[in-house]
Amino acid sequence: MFEQLGLIGCGLMGGSFALALKRAGLVKRVVGYSKSPSTTERARSLGVIDVEAPSALLAVSGADIVLIAVPVSATEATFKAIKHLVTPQMLIMDVGSTKRDVVDAARRALREQIGSFVPAHPIAGKEVSGVEHADPDLYSGKQIILTPIERTHAPQVQQAIDVWSALGCNVLKMTPESHDAAFASVSHLPHLIAFALMNSITGQNQGKDFLSLAGPGFRDFTRIAASDPHMWRDIMISNREELLTQSKLFQRNLQALELMISNGNADALEELIGQASQARANWSMNKNRR
Ligand code: NAP
């Protein structure tokens, strides 16, 4: 049981964590701070936080657990803002979708206090953002990836495992590097392709008419294109090296298919489609990630 959660970033992810922690009876009080006072005020009026803090530093004051749930580009400034009140006993976590840049920012900003920080990425979310969409069930039954480094204190890693497990998550540990490589391929690239596809269609004169004819396959394929632009701008720039590597691989595969189509090479085309179809049929999402 924690005495006080210091929540920095009272949006979808942070608000959902606060609600889940409260519902599980794991925290007595939530003190929250967001960039706009109106967001912090809304979080309090919705019962997501109990007390509004006027700064990130004051949200951390007196907290034994801190969650940083801001856009990844704001993480380093947040670490700098709170570093004077970080204690060796405190558990600090984030929820950022990229991990190498967050860990580098923590190394630069937290320095000798970095042991209190356990980097975390919940594989949960929605296409909508904002505290009004905060949901105490958001994390239940989902995967959470922790990417501790050699300097992360073991007791904090265990606390992080315990708290996410208590919220019904399946906890997995990996290095920040392997996290970013994997998610460039299975999350960041699919978003990039979905954004490019929507722009490619809507950029045509008849784009609107084409869209009016689209069916369930198109709906499923493009669901993630409705994601938050600010968040995805940050993720793509933060993980640019891995994302561009994956994008090049994808382009090579696209070109191979295009060549077969332009040559009318039906057998080769069928074989490549067959490979993809078989790989998709063999893949099943871990039930913890629904
Ligand atoms: P969100 O609903 O927009 O919430 C972000 C919150 O951070 C907002 O309340 C915003 O306040 C606040 N904020 C922005 N800059 C800040 C700063 N410098 N200091 C303090 N607060 C600041 O976004 P979200 O979906 O919760 O995303 C938060 C993090 O979760 C991101 O790092 C994202 O990568 C990660 N994530 C998201 C998902 C998803 O599906 N949404 C999934 C996994 C991980 P204002 O309202 O005042 O701007």
Side-chain angles (χ1 to χ4, degrees):
M1 171 74 154
F2 293 99
E3 284 295 318
Q4 185 174 311
L5 167 67
L7 178 63
I8 303 169
C10 305
L12 171 73
M13 302 299 284
S16 299
F17 183 77
L19 288 175
L21 220 59
K22 281 181 172 205
R23 192 177 63 181
L26 288 171
V27 71
K28 289 189 185 157
R29 191 170 50 254
V30 179
V31 179
Y33 166 74
S34 253
K35 194 176 59 176
S36 326
S38 58
T39 301
T40 321
E41 150 69 30
R42 204 170 328 132
R44 195 188 47 76
S45 66
L46 290 168
V48 170
I49 63 169
D50 305 308
V51 180
E52 293 171 48
S55 68
L57 186 67
L58 288 174
V60 168
S61 175
D64 45 359
I65 177 170
V66 172
L67 190 78
I68 299 174
V70 301
V72 282
S73 63
T75 309
E76 183 158 4
T78 303
F79 284 139
K80 283 184 179 152
I82 67 169
K83 69 177 175 194
H84 295 301
L85 288 184
V86 172
T87 67
Q89 290 73 36
M90 203 177 253
L91 168 62
I92 305 176
M93 296 186 290
D94 75 320
V95 290
S97 305
T98 53
K99 294 275 68 87
R100 231 166 34 154
D101 62 322
V102 165
V103 167
D104 287 346
R107 280 199 176 95
R108 285 190 298 268
L110 294 179
R111 295 171 181 264
E112 62 282 359
Q113 306 290 14
I114 197 168
S116 299
F117 175 57
V118 182
H121 176 201
I123 312 306
K126 297 183 183 179
E127 279 75 61
V128 287
S129 51
V131 70
E132 51 283 353
H133 300 288
D135 173 0
D137 288 319
L138 186 73
Y139 300 114
S140 170
K142 302 291 179 358
Q143 184 111 285
I144 171 96
I145 297 174
L146 304 179
T147 65
I149 57 170
E150 61 293 345
R151 292 177 64 194
T152 316
H153 298 151
Q156 268 89 337
V157 175
Q158 192 54 51
Q159 270 187 312
I161 293 171
D162 291 345
V163 74
W164 287 106
S165 300
L167 300 186
C169 296
N170 178 41
V171 184
L172 199 73
K173 275 197 283 178
M174 54 170 64
T175 65
E177 292 75 19
S178 42
H179 168 280
D180 284 6
F183 283 90
S185 122
V186 297
S187 171
H188 309 167
L189 179 67
H191 278 81
L192 183 69
I193 295 167
F195 297 141
L197 175 64
M198 288 310 297
N199 286 344
S200 151
I201 296 174
T202 56
Q204 302 173 37
N205 289 339
Q206 293 167 281
K208 261 196 181 150
D209 300 332
F210 293 166
L211 282 182
S212 71
L213 300 169
F218 181 84
R219 182 198 58 205
D220 293 348
F221 190 87
T222 58
R223 178 179 61 80
I224 53 178
S227 298
D228 184 60
H230 189 87
M231 182 175 113
W232 277 95
R233 173 201 77 171
D234 276 8
I235 292 170
M236 288 178 176
I237 291 176
S238 295
N239 199 23
R240 73 186 87 179
E241 277 172 38
E242 297 290 357
L243 175 56
L244 291 174
T245 300
Q246 291 297 330
S247 180
K248 286 195 180 81
L249 272 174
F250 173 76
Q251 287 174 51
R252 241 185 274 157
N253 279 277
L254 187 64
Q255 279 162 8
L257 289 165
E258 282 174 356
L259 191 66
M260 288 164 194
I261 294 166
S262 82
N263 292 343
N265 193 344
D267 290 343
L269 184 60
E270 186 176 337
E271 199 182 317
L272 278 196
I273 295 171
Q275 272 176 28
S277 172
Q278 194 59 51
R280 182 61 174 80
N282 292 342
W283 174 80
S284 68
M285 192 166 65
N286 182 322
K287 65 178 176 1
N288 289 318
R289 278 170 250 162
R290 265 301 323 141

